[in-house]
Amino acid sequence: MNAVNSILEKISNAKQLDFGSIFSESIELFKKTWLQGFLLQAITIIIMLPLIIVIYAPLIGIFMTQSKSGHSDPEAFTAFFAGMSLIYIVFIVVAVFALSAVSFALNAGFFRMMRKLDHNEQVTTSDLFHFFKANYFNKTFMLMLATVGIAILAILLCYLPIFYAMVPLSFFTVMFAFNPDLSTGDIVKLSFKLGHKKWLLAFGLIIVSAILAEIVGLLLCGIGVLFTAAFVYHPVYFIYKKVIGFENGNQISEI
């Protein structure tokens, strides 16, 4: 039985999972991973910063010019967007996808770290960059394209399908992290299979985790969000762990 059929069988035969148990386990694991979660958010921001500057620097310049002159000039913004060349637009689009693929790879590395810490193994910051390799980058880029394509299609279908699609999409990263040798198509298929099987549970856990992370982060003077944002990945990890699991204790180290 190949890997895909094995995972499909596990998903089909998955037992009912308890919301409270997964949430409690997520909190316990978060106590071990909060520092790595902070590093994930900080590194992601640092990587995205150059693109943010390239996109917003011209707009900031327009705002500063208008604030000095003391009057608003709506035509300045119209002229700015009209003057954007096709090459500049293409560059921005490609850069967004490339950096999103980098962020996807970082998140996959974080799932590896979560598994290690869950099994009381040692981790290093370099684990975050495990998927920064040529043979993985093409796949992370394709998965980002698939994510955007599916999200756009769901939005075009009167928005409601995006609420369904958000759950399978949330499993793309964890499915890739622990099965990086599968094809992009297989990762998408398996993620939708798992997302459909555990949709209500996953949707509830993701929403509650996201709200809790946001509230606690804001209570910690706002900057605390950098420490709590990664909490939302923990329920996704535990659903994967309990449904599919890890057959070989050392398989992640051997990838």
Side-chain angles (χ1 to χ4, degrees):
M1 183 180 295
N2 62 37
V4 175
N5 290 334
S6 176
I7 294 175
L8 285 173
E9 183 177 351
K10 289 178 181 179
I11 295 173
S12 298
N13 298 327
K15 298 179 180 179
Q16 186 173 355
L17 302 178
D18 182 70
F19 183 102
S21 296
I22 293 179
F23 193 75
S24 297
E25 290 181 75
S26 297
I27 292 176
E28 289 303 312
L29 181 57
F30 179 72
K31 294 177 182 178
K32 299 179 181 179
T33 65
W34 65 268
L35 179 58
Q36 287 73 26
F38 168 75
L39 291 175
L40 170 66
Q41 301 304 317
I43 293 172
T44 300
I45 291 174
I46 292 172
I47 290 174
M48 295 293 182
L49 193 58
L51 178 62
I52 294 173
I53 292 174
V54 169
I55 294 175
Y56 288 101
L59 292 175
I60 294 173
I62 294 175
F63 279 119
M64 292 180 64
T65 301
Q66 293 191 5
S67 65
K68 290 180 180 179
S69 64
H71 66 275
S72 177
D73 182 12
E75 294 184 0
F77 293 97
T78 303
F80 169 73
F81 288 111
M84 291 175 64
S85 66
L86 179 61
I87 296 177
Y88 178 78
I89 295 174
V90 171
F91 167 77
I92 293 298
V93 171
V94 172
V96 167
F97 275 107
L99 292 179
S100 296
V102 169
S103 177
F104 187 97
L106 283 171
N107 291 339
F110 180 64
F111 275 114
R112 279 175 50 89
M113 299 177 82
M114 288 173 62
R115 182 195 177 278
K116 287 186 176 182
L117 291 169
D118 186 27
H119 291 80
N120 298 314
E121 299 176 12
Q122 293 294 321
V123 297
T124 62
T125 304
S126 62
D127 289 327
L128 271 177
F129 303 95
H130 177 80
F131 293 104
F132 278 51
K133 301 173 183 176
N135 56 322
Y136 292 136
F137 188 77
N138 179 60
K139 192 170 294 184
T140 59
F141 190 82
M142 293 303 297
L143 284 168
M144 279 308 308
L145 286 177
T147 300
V148 173
I150 293 169
I152 291 175
L153 178 61
I155 292 173
L156 291 176
L157 295 173
C158 301
Y159 282 95
L160 288 179
I162 194 63
F163 290 101
Y164 169 78
M166 65 175 285
V167 172
L169 291 176
S170 69
F171 285 108
F172 277 18
T173 312
V174 68
M175 191 67 70
F176 167 73
F178 300 123
N179 305 278
D181 294 327
L182 295 182
S183 69
T184 301
D186 286 335
I187 291 173
V188 172
K189 179 175 70 173
L190 293 172
S191 296
F192 267 85
K193 182 72 173 180
L194 177 57
H196 179 75
K197 181 74 174 182
K198 297 298 180 182
W199 188 89
L200 187 60
L201 173 69
F203 182 81
L205 283 167
I206 291 170
I207 294 298
V208 172
S209 299
I211 292 174
L212 180 62
E214 185 73 18
I215 292 175
V216 175
L218 292 175
L219 289 176
L220 296 174
C221 303
I223 195 173
V225 172
L226 292 176
F227 292 91
T228 61
F231 178 65
V232 72
Y233 298 124
H234 292 63
V236 174
Y237 165 80
F238 276 109
I239 291 175
Y240 178 93
K241 175 184 176 182
K242 291 178 180 296
V243 173
I244 299 173
F246 312 105
E247 292 185 359
N248 300 316
N250 296 323
Q251 73 174 29
I252 304 303
S253 300
E254 295 171 356
I255 293 176

